[in-house]
Amino acid sequence: SNTYNWSNTNDNYDNIKYCVKLEAQVTKQYAPTTVPYNAYFAVSKFLRAYSFIWLSQRVGDIPMTQAGDPANLTPAYDKQHDVYKNSLALLDTANTLIGKLISGGGVKSTDKLDATGDIFGLTYLQWQKVINTYKLRVLISLSKRATDNADLNIPGQFANIVNNPAQYPIMTSNSDNMVYKYTT
């Protein structure tokens, strides 16, 4: 939406609901040949992780595993630790899916995600950079809690991204920015 409606949390929960629908549509439309090797499926994983982390940073424990189902009005809450753990896994999945699309030869890293232009106008490689750079940002935000959250392996995940630029490309210049362009 291009409008500001004086709300933040509602918008992020709406993103989760849209991701559920997007993944269902991708699965229905492309299964079983290209799912999960579909860019929209990967971007949905990123948007889910972003929304869950955004919400959890503000309120702690949130519904995650049961979130987004309009038929379930009382989803169970997940611990903040589990939200981070699952969100980091979603970001890794998103990176892997886009990487497989590029390495499989179906698309070039410089191709746009959508020929008609998504609202960000990013290429496959730029989406991968956004995903991995955001994951680094999340890991940095968790770094003070690395010792009491050993199962998250925060230093190991961070080192893996930084030391493997071919598998985990990150933003290197302003041209990689994810910029929302307002349209009328």
Side-chain angles (χ1 to χ4, degrees):
S1 171
N2 284 336
T3 59
Y4 184 72
N5 63 1
W6 307 99
S7 173
N8 293 331
T9 306
N10 186 44
D11 293 342
N12 278 287
Y13 193 74
D14 284 346
N15 286 344
I16 295 165
K17 292 189 302 184
Y18 298 143
C19 288
V20 169
K21 292 289 189 187
L22 175 64
E23 290 177 20
Q25 181 60 35
V26 167
T27 302
K28 179 180 173 185
Q29 187 171 345
Y30 294 102
T33 55
T34 58
V35 172
Y37 304 118
N38 182 289
Y40 295 107
F41 204 77
V43 169
S44 176
K45 299 291 184 198
F46 165 72
L47 293 173
R48 266 183 191 244
Y50 176 85
S51 295
F52 286 130
I53 289 169
W54 193 95
L55 289 166
S56 189
Q57 285 174 335
R58 281 145 185 83
V59 297
D61 298 348
I62 60 167
M64 181 179 188
T65 53
Q66 296 179 0
D69 179 4
N72 185 359
L73 299 179
T74 57
Y77 277 64
D78 295 277
K79 296 281 183 202
Q80 187 177 39
H81 173 86
D82 295 330
V83 171
Y84 276 103
K85 185 175 183 177
N86 293 331
S87 294
L88 291 169
L90 285 171
L91 292 169
D92 199 47
T93 299
N95 173 66
T96 301
L97 293 174
I98 292 180
K100 285 183 179 183
L101 284 167
I102 295 169
S103 68
V107 298
K108 295 178 192 153
S109 63
T110 56
D111 288 347
K112 298 272 186 190
L113 181 70
D114 183 2
T116 61
D118 65 59
I119 60 172
F120 302 109
L122 300 177
T123 65
Y124 284 85
L125 180 60
Q126 287 174 317
W127 270 108
Q128 208 174 12
K129 288 178 176 185
V130 165
I131 291 164
N132 294 319
T133 303
Y134 180 68
K135 186 173 181 181
L136 285 177
R137 181 178 172 182
V138 172
L139 291 169
I140 290 169
S141 76
L142 295 172
S143 64
K144 289 185 180 182
R145 303 293 308 266
T147 55
D148 58 339
N149 289 290
D151 65 321
L152 294 180
N153 189 20
I154 295 165
Q157 287 192 63
F158 190 92
N160 193 32
I161 293 170
V162 172
N163 295 328
N164 296 309
Q167 184 179 357
Y168 296 99
I170 58 174
M171 292 179 171
T172 55
S173 71
N174 283 338
S175 64
D176 294 328
N177 281 347
M178 182 178 187
V179 178
Y180 179 75
K181 295 176 176 73
Y182 178 81
T183 60
T184 57

